[in-house]
Amino acid sequence: MSQNILNAEALSRMFLSGARNLDQKKDWINELNVFPVPDGDTGTNMTMTILAAAREIENLTSVDMSSLCKAISSGSLRGARGNSGVILSQLFRGFTRTIRDNDCVDLPLIAEACEKAVETAYKAVIKPKEGTILTVAKGIAEMARKEAESGKTVEEYFGIVLEHGKSVLEKTPEMLPVLKEAGVVDSGGQGLIVVLEGAYQALLGNEICAVSEKADDSRKASVVQNTAEEEILFGYCTEFIVDLADPLPKERLDEFRHFLLLMGDSIVLVPDTELVKVHVHTNDPGKVISEALTLGSLSNIKIDNMRLEHREKLIRDAEKLAEQQAELNGVHAGPPKKTGFISVCAGNGFKEIFEGLSVDVVIEGGQTMNPSTEDLLNAIDRVHAENIFLFPNNKNIILSANQAKDLVQEKNIIVVPTKTIPQGISAILAFDANESVENNQEIMRDVLGRVKTGEITYAVRDTHIDSVEIHQGDIMAVGDEGLLHAGTDIHCVCMEAVRKMMFDGAELISVYFGKDLSEEHASRLAEDIAAQYPNCDVEIENGGQPVYYCIISVE
């Protein structure tokens, strides 16, 4: 084979090597999240997107250009999760469409494919923003075109293109002030570079090998339903709080962190002046607790047997699958109803709320686990209706929802662009069965502008946002447009967040408390809000959501 031509087999090795490289570095990419909250999921979303395509490739009995391109395009399209995953799938889609009818690709065709990839990805985003993965991809395509007729070998060519992509990535903080203030490059752009680095290594003969998969990533465990019990390397999810008599010296904290690394994985260590919050997956929770007792007294101890939970989950999944099949066989036997609803949320409380609002299918997902396009398509299949309103309830799921909509022909899918769960609840409440689908769509969109949301969580690292200095462990209130407030006390941060969300004409304030906030604390918060704003009704609901202590809406 010529030094400046690639066949399907070589491209397959490069793609799989890029996918594995991303899989190995996804946690690092997650940490590039601008907001230092424990839900940075760009790396996870991009990884699950590309691995869906990788599985399609690995299932091929023989590799030619047509079958390879179909596997990459179809696999990534259906497996796409989150905005970054959808954009990545569109880049693959544009690239593969250009090369699929050729036995081999040369440098000019590669350049053309890169340009088509960028064009396709930009079209998928309603309001493209520079300083993101799109900018990095565009820079790569520009250099690919510039060097296409240089006469270089493919190794030299890819090396030059990759280095230029890295230089564009380094400039993203200058294009997006929020990146510069947080001191990070764009996480999606970094993910794309990681994929290309893995592909380049395969081109040089240093193909990235797959690492042994672990089921310790809760986001991964939630979607890999057929994982064998013995693949869970560390069986006990152990959580507790160390109450400190005095602030813990950094050296002692580092020693404890090193100890935890030796004992297991999935480690979360959030220190404060008076306490340390600890989470670890381990096979010896007793030893972890004994070591923690050398630091201070313990409270809120929680130990879960993940192997037992996993086995029970497999049983529940099998039962659920049987129920769904029975539902499909029964409900779909008659004529479809006029209107159906699908909603995405995290937390059993929110699930019950949406089911109480007659939502047909509630998809479990949100910040820590964005559903894939395939998940949304499966939900659409389950709803026997002519028109289906789909509520993403998260800005990072809207692109996936629109992608699913484009893949459905036999039903009318209306994606209501809800960016928060409270917006989704208000939109469904506004539905009027006596109005047309088009009028309901307009009514719901109008409602979204009258709902303000604040999500209360904690910071996982030090940073600056909107000129506010934030320290690891601080409590943060994140609003619709950015940071609302940060501090050290949940109650105070919540009150300040409500103050900043209030507007003339506000009538209702809703407090949805999560699994990490007690109902008593939430009740006290609601009482103080009611006292502060006597002209508003204040409601309190158990959302049961992870990650966020509470979600507050003002409307």
Side-chain angles (χ1 to χ4, degrees):
M1 186 172 62
S2 171
Q3 287 185 313
N4 61 357
I5 290 179
L6 293 171
N7 60 18
E9 186 178 346
L11 287 173
S12 175
R13 289 197 304 271
M14 292 171 67
F15 185 88
L16 292 175
S17 182
R20 292 164 186 157
N21 198 40
L22 181 61
D23 187 27
Q24 293 179 19
K25 296 178 180 178
K26 63 179 178 294
D27 291 337
W28 169 57
I29 295 170
N30 284 338
E31 293 173 2
L32 295 176
N33 191 23
V34 170
F35 283 97
V37 296
D39 64 5
D41 51 11
T42 299
T44 299
N45 285 337
M46 295 183 74
T47 296
M48 299 189 78
T49 299
I50 198 171
L51 288 182
R55 286 192 293 272
E56 294 289 325
I57 294 174
E58 290 168 345
N59 288 334
L60 293 175
T61 54
S62 61
V63 177
D64 55 46
M65 196 67 76
S66 177
S67 62
L68 174 65
C69 289
K70 182 178 179 181
I72 292 174
S73 180
S74 176
S76 62
L77 191 69
R78 290 181 171 272
R81 296 176 186 269
N83 293 346
S84 56
V86 170
I87 292 172
L88 185 64
S89 73
Q90 292 298 317
L91 288 170
F92 292 151
R93 184 182 180 211
F95 189 94
T96 55
R97 277 187 169 183
T98 307
I99 68 171
R100 62 188 178 187
D101 296 327
N102 299 269
D103 293 331
C104 296
V105 297
D106 57 13
L107 303 191
L109 185 57
I110 290 171
E112 182 184 345
C114 288
E115 291 170 337
K116 187 63 176 178
V118 172
E119 178 188 335
T120 305
Y122 266 88
K123 286 180 178 178
V125 181
I126 297 174
K127 294 181 179 179
K129 185 180 295 184
E130 297 305 325
T132 66
I133 181 176
L134 292 171
T135 305
V136 177
K138 183 168 64 175
I140 289 169
E142 289 171 351
M143 183 55 69
R145 171 55 63 194
K146 181 179 179 182
E147 294 291 325
E149 304 290 347
S150 63
K152 292 182 171 61
T153 66
V154 287
E155 292 86 357
E156 294 170 335
Y157 178 72
F158 269 84
I160 292 170
V161 171
L162 177 58
E163 286 305 312
H164 183 70
K166 291 179 180 178
S167 69
V168 175
L169 175 67
E170 292 301 318
K171 295 174 184 176
T172 55
E174 301 302 322
M175 304 177 200
L176 279 179
V178 67
L179 294 176
K180 187 173 185 178
E181 188 175 17
V184 296
V185 296
D186 177 68
S187 55
Q190 182 66 75
L192 179 60
I193 292 297
V194 166
V195 171
L196 294 180
E197 285 176 333
Y200 182 53
Q201 287 304 309
L203 186 61
L204 297 177
N206 306 316
E207 189 172 346
I208 306 296
C209 297
V211 295
S212 58
E213 294 185 1
K214 301 177 182 179
D216 51 85
D217 189 329
S218 60
R219 290 168 292 194
K220 189 174 181 180
S222 67
V223 295
V224 182
Q225 298 181 352
N226 295 319
T227 304
E229 178 181 330
E230 55 270 21
E231 289 183 2
I232 298 179
L233 299 183
F234 299 100
Y236 296 93
C237 176
T238 306
E239 298 178 74
F240 53 84
I241 292 175
V242 183
D243 297 303
L244 305 172
D246 299 299
L248 199 64
K250 183 180 183 300
E251 295 76 12
R252 186 69 182 93
L253 184 66
D254 290 341
E255 289 176 4
F256 185 58
R257 181 180 287 109
H258 179 69
F259 167 79
L260 292 177
L261 287 170
L262 296 176
M263 293 299 299
D265 56 14
S266 291
I267 296 164
V268 176
L269 194 62
V270 183
D272 203 350
T273 56
E274 297 179 351
L275 58 86
V276 179
K277 186 173 182 179
V278 180
H279 172 281
V280 61
H281 291 176
T282 180
N283 285 327
D284 195 343
K287 191 171 182 179
V288 171
I289 288 173
S290 295
E291 180 66 20
L293 284 170
T294 66
L295 306 179
S297 60
L298 306 187
S299 61
N300 292 44
I301 299 174
K302 182 172 176 284
I303 301 173
D304 293 322
N305 185 329
M306 294 191 296
R307 294 188 178 98
L308 179 61
E309 290 179 347
H310 179 70
R311 187 162 59 245
E312 292 174 347
K313 182 181 184 301
L314 291 179
I315 295 172
R316 289 196 304 271
D317 288 345
E319 293 174 344
K320 186 175 181 181
L321 184 61
E323 291 173 0
Q324 290 174 1
Q325 190 59 52
E327 177 185 331
L328 286 173
N329 292 338
V331 176
H332 289 197
K337 60 181 179 178
K338 181 180 179 180
T339 307
F341 302 95
I342 297 173
S343 181
V344 181
C345 72
N348 289 331
F350 278 127
K351 183 175 185 291
E352 291 177 3
I353 290 172
F354 281 115
E355 288 175 342
L357 295 174
S358 299
V359 171
D360 297 273
V361 178
V362 179
I363 303 173
E364 183 179 355
Q367 282 299 92
T368 55
M369 186 64 255
N370 296 150
S372 67
T373 300
E374 182 77 19
D375 293 332
L376 297 169
L377 288 171
N378 289 337
I380 290 170
D381 284 342
R382 291 174 56 195
V383 181
H384 195 44
E386 296 175 0
N387 306 284
I388 301 175
F389 286 90
L390 174 53
F391 304 90
N393 299 335
N394 186 296
K395 64 181 180 181
N396 207 30
I397 302 176
I398 294 175
L399 275 183
S400 297
N402 284 324
Q403 188 155 275
K405 171 187 176 180
D406 292 341
L407 293 172
V408 175
Q409 303 296 327
E410 67 279 6
K411 299 175 183 178
N412 179 32
I413 311 300
I414 306 98
V415 177
V416 183
T418 51
K419 296 180 179 180
T420 66
I421 293 176
Q423 281 190 345
I425 293 172
S426 295
I428 294 173
L429 285 170
F431 175 78
D432 187 342
N434 296 317
E435 292 286 348
S436 66
V437 170
E438 293 74 21
N439 286 347
N440 268 304
Q441 187 175 4
E442 290 302 315
I443 292 170
M444 290 178 180
R445 283 179 174 270
D446 183 58
V447 165
L448 303 189
R450 301 200 298 268
V451 181
K452 293 189 177 183
T453 307
E455 299 171 320
I456 317 301
T457 186
Y458 61 90
V460 296
R461 57 178 165 81
D462 295 349
T463 190
H464 283 81
I465 298 177
D466 298 337
S467 300
V468 177
E469 184 174 352
I470 297 173
H471 300 286
Q472 185 181 34
D474 280 356
I475 306 301
M476 299 170 52
V478 182
D480 300 317
E481 305 299 330
L483 183 69
L484 291 171
H485 191 62
T488 58
D489 181 80
I490 294 176
H491 198 90
C492 293
V493 170
C494 288
M495 293 299 295
E496 182 63 15
V498 173
R499 186 186 72 80
K500 290 186 176 180
M501 288 192 292
M502 285 300 297
F503 57 91
D504 291 340
E507 299 176 348
L508 174 64
I509 302 173
S510 301
V511 178
Y512 304 94
F513 62 93
K515 67 177 186 178
D516 293 323
L517 190 72
S518 69
E519 185 171 359
E520 291 75 17
H521 191 158
S523 296
R524 291 197 304 272
L525 176 63
E527 290 172 3
D528 286 353
I529 292 174
Q532 186 76 27
Y533 304 101
N535 293 328
C536 289
D537 293 328
V538 179
E539 295 182 349
I540 179 172
E541 297 279 357
N542 180 6
Q545 70 274 7
V547 180
Y548 296 99
Y549 296 115
C550 63
I551 297 175
I552 305 173
S553 65
V554 179
E555 53 188 297

